[in-house]
Amino acid sequence: MTSRARLAVPLIAAVVALAGCTADDPTSAGATEGSQAAADGGSEAVVTDPGTASVADQVMGEQTIATPHGGGDSWGGEVTVTLRSVEVGGENMTVRWALRWDDDEAPADAGASYYDMGVVPSTTVTDRDALKAYKPYCTEGAWQADTTSATDASLERLRCSESMLVSPLENIGFKFPNHGTIEAWAVLPAPEGEPATLDVAPAEGLPLFTDATVTYLDGSQE
């Protein structure tokens, strides 16, 4: 096993996550040995820059929904979620997406945070055929801690969710501007078996994109 261990969890865990669980509990028992190594060694995972591909105007899929309501200010209007790309290079997978918030009834300089919308910026990528799901790398904590203590495991997942390699990550101070588009990304372990398509949930609380085409930057899947 290399130091770039993959984080693969059973599909049942992904189904639970996509059903609305927070990033504090995205996985369940039964992960592979590789997934445990990645979870235990999040801070040791070798990750590269998210990439330099120009995808600001690329649209793989797009969905518009009423603005979700969470805590804090409950803004109206709607959000448009755009999936830009799913790129795999070496041991890493980069998901690029964007969110635009539009509320004609709100002030022009208004802003809505993840917290306001009840959204958790934890990307989940699922390979339905292989029954595996992937979560972002984190620099602290672990998605699946090697402990029998439920309290310790929960704290490790919390630390992991607070240090994920996703942008934007801050869930209260950062605001999505009214009538503005924010580009976002997440870095996850590369999927096993080089699947041609994957299902992508850019963040918990936002729409799921199914059968997203995977681009292999090293020339695979040609």
Side-chain angles (χ1 to χ4, degrees), residues 50 55 81-85 94-99 114 121 123 165-169 174 176 181-187 202-203 206:
V55 294
V81 185
T82 304
L83 181 62
R84 301 275 190 219
S85 66
T94 302
V95 174
R96 300 175 187 278
W97 60 284
L99 186 145
Y114 282 128
T123 302
L165 294 189
V166 306
S167 178
L169 175 62
F174 177 81
F176 291 89
T181 299
I182 297 297
E183 302 296 326
W185 54 261
V187 181
L206 296 179

Side-chain angles (χ1 to χ4, degrees), residues 118-145:
V119 171
V120 178
S122 178
T123 302
T124 301
V125 176
T126 305
D127 183 348
R128 283 175 293 163
D129 292 336
L131 302 181
K132 292 179 180 178
Y134 301 86
K135 301 292 288 183
Y137 287 115
C138 53
T139 60
E140 297 181 7
W143 290 118
Q144 290 185 305

Side-chain angles (χ1 to χ4, degrees), residues 107-118:
D109 61 350
S113 68
Y114 282 128
Y115 177 73
D116 295 331
M117 295 185 288

Side-chain angles (χ1 to χ4, degrees), residues 9-32:
V9 290
L11 181 59
I12 184 64
V15 172
V16 172
L18 298 179
C21 289
T22 67
D24 289 350
D25 188 20
T27 58
S28 64
T32 64

